[in-house]
Amino acid sequence: METGDAANLLAPSATSDYLGWVLSVQANYYWVQLDRRADLFSAGSRPPLGTSQELSASLGPLASQPPLLLCTRRAKLKKLGQRVSVGDRVLVEEPDWVGGRGAIAAVLPRRNFLERPPIANVDQVILVFALKEPDLDSQQLTRFLVQIEHSGLVLRLVLSKSDLVSLAERQAWSDRLRQWGYMAHCLSTQTGEGIATLLAELQGYTSVLAGPSGVGKSSLINTLIPTAGLRVGAVSGKLARGRHTTRHVELLPLPQGGFLADTPGFNQPDLICFPNELAACFPEIRQRLQTGACQFTDCLHDEEPNCVVRGDWERYEHYRVLLAEAIAYEAEFNQQATPDAQLKRRTGQSGQAHYEPRLAPKKYRRPSRRAQQQALDTLYQDLD
Ligand code: GDP
Ligand code: ZN
């Protein structure tokens, strides 16, 4: 990123504020892509903190190549306990264009927040499963579908590697998924089939890519964003290493506007759902409950008498497997919620859970200004 370009494009006054999106978070630093000038409001005044749509509508477009700044968070935000997350819409004060740095002064209200991975203002989840290599596993697909349904976000289901299966096989999967209640979109990064359609659906939105590893998510990112690989390849040192840790997440700007977030380490999501919330995550169950009612209003559709959900439909067994997990999750949640719970649940390498005493929280020690500056300089050297 040539920060000098940004200075030429914007020629801002020293008192200007800018709006931007947080693309990635690294320790106490935030990469922010600025998009629109906030100083179109009367000089010296702040834009009103409304919704991002209101602000976007009231601000003119900026440059075609939005500047990227490495930002810190203003002390007042820290005092307020205001966290800054990937996907946040933020106000950046007095950017240092030459150094390519800035300070986040305010975080706009979030429309939503995805906990895992932590991303604010998500518009939709693109769930990718391969038609082949690896074979499409209906149990695993159901697990992802349920978790996304539970988040309440818009879901788009993509079946990748369409070049590896016959038209008949593809049709069979589409028909089967329609029975579940989903429309699937087939594509291939090898032949380019279905790519333009997906790109159109991503334009202008913040989309999260989910799915098991090996289904072609990286290939898809590289097809949709030809510069993504170059950019990642160019980053060395701390940021690059950070990219491969499981919790790291970043927004990649799409060429036509909007962002795509990859979700590494999201292979087999643990079910975070209470038993009484699970039925609503299956379109087949929602449909059954629209046309009929179980005898018990709190029916979990398991062994209860006169249940309209239990029956001979394809994913009922998947439902029961996940119901058992949701019951276990609830039991664990209740155990942890007791006020004197001094034990913390840990899962060992064997997958066996055990409990350990909770550690006292670490005392927060403020790093010296010099240490902060050194850390920033090191980060910068790594990026050069
Ligand atoms: P990820 O783990 O989901 O990011 O998957 P990758 O993008 O790394 O792809 C896994 C493998 O599938 C690689 O060998 C890719 O070359 C291959 N692959 C990706 N997309 C396609 C596709 O559309 N067709 C075929 N035949 N192979 C693909
Ligand atoms: Zn029932």
Side-chain angles (χ1 to χ4, degrees), residues 205-220:
Y205 296 115
T206 294
S207 308
V208 173
L209 210 54
S213 61
V215 297
K217 295 189 301 302
S218 312
S219 310
L220 190 56

Side-chain angles (χ1 to χ4, degrees), residues 190-248:
Q190 296 282 305
T191 64
E193 187 209 342
I195 298 293
T197 312
L198 180 63
L199 206 50
E201 288 175 341
L202 299 177
Q203 193 177 332
Y205 296 115
T206 294
S207 308
V208 173
L209 210 54
S213 61
V215 297
K217 295 189 301 302
S218 312
S219 310
L220 190 56
I221 289 175
N222 290 329
T223 305
L224 297 169
I225 310 171
T227 54
L230 294 175
R231 205 174 67 79
V232 170
V235 173
S236 63
K238 278 184 193 156
L239 279 183
R241 282 201 296 278
R243 227 193 151 258
H244 298 292
T245 60
T246 48
R247 283 285 162 254
H248 188 75

Side-chain angles (χ1 to χ4, degrees), residues 294 299-301 307-309:
C294 300
C299 186
L300 289 178
H301 322 300
C307 170
V308 297
V309 169

Side-chain angles (χ1 to χ4, degrees), residues 128 130 132-134 159-165 187-193 195 209-223 262 267:
V128 186
K132 217 176 178 67
E133 295 181 18
L159 299 181
S160 62
K161 310 197 190 184
S162 62
D163 57 291
L164 294 180
V165 297
L187 58 75
S188 164
T189 57
Q190 296 282 305
T191 64
E193 187 209 342
I195 298 293
L209 210 54
S213 61
V215 297
K217 295 189 301 302
S218 312
S219 310
L220 190 56
I221 289 175
N222 290 329
T223 305
D262 191 9
N267 277 348

Side-chain angles (χ1 to χ4, degrees), residues 72-114:
T72 54
R73 182 174 55 142
R74 282 261 190 262
K76 66 183 175 193
L77 286 187
K78 281 183 206 158
K79 276 198 202 120
L80 288 170
Q82 171 70 65
R83 296 177 68 103
V84 181
S85 175
V86 168
D88 263 328
R89 195 91 174 105
V90 294
L91 197 70
V92 174
E93 276 180 351
E94 298 170 28
D96 162 11
W97 300 106
V98 179
R101 295 175 195 177
I104 295 172
V107 180
L108 271 60
R110 291 171 178 162
R111 268 184 292 118
N112 58 33
F113 190 77
L114 196 63

Side-chain angles (χ1 to χ4, degrees), residues 107-178:
V107 180
L108 271 60
R110 291 171 178 162
R111 268 184 292 118
N112 58 33
F113 190 77
L114 196 63
E115 295 280 345
R116 295 181 346 149
I119 309 178
N121 303 315
V122 174
D123 292 306
Q124 57 185 349
V125 179
I126 312 297
L127 178 58
V128 186
F129 265 73
L131 282 157
K132 217 176 178 67
E133 295 181 18
D135 282 344
L136 216 166
D137 172 349
S138 69
Q139 172 81 55
Q140 192 189 31
L141 174 55
T142 294
R143 187 175 285 276
F144 274 88
L145 288 170
V146 163
Q147 205 57 69
I148 297 165
E149 291 265 5
H150 189 251
S151 74
L153 292 165
V154 172
L155 161 73
R156 286 187 197 282
L157 179 57
V158 164
L159 299 181
S160 62
K161 310 197 190 184
S162 62
D163 57 291
L164 294 180
V165 297
S166 68
L167 216 55
E169 279 176 278
R170 197 200 294 194
Q171 194 57 48
W173 264 113
S174 293
D175 292 346
R176 193 169 159 192
L177 292 170
R178 200 170 306 119

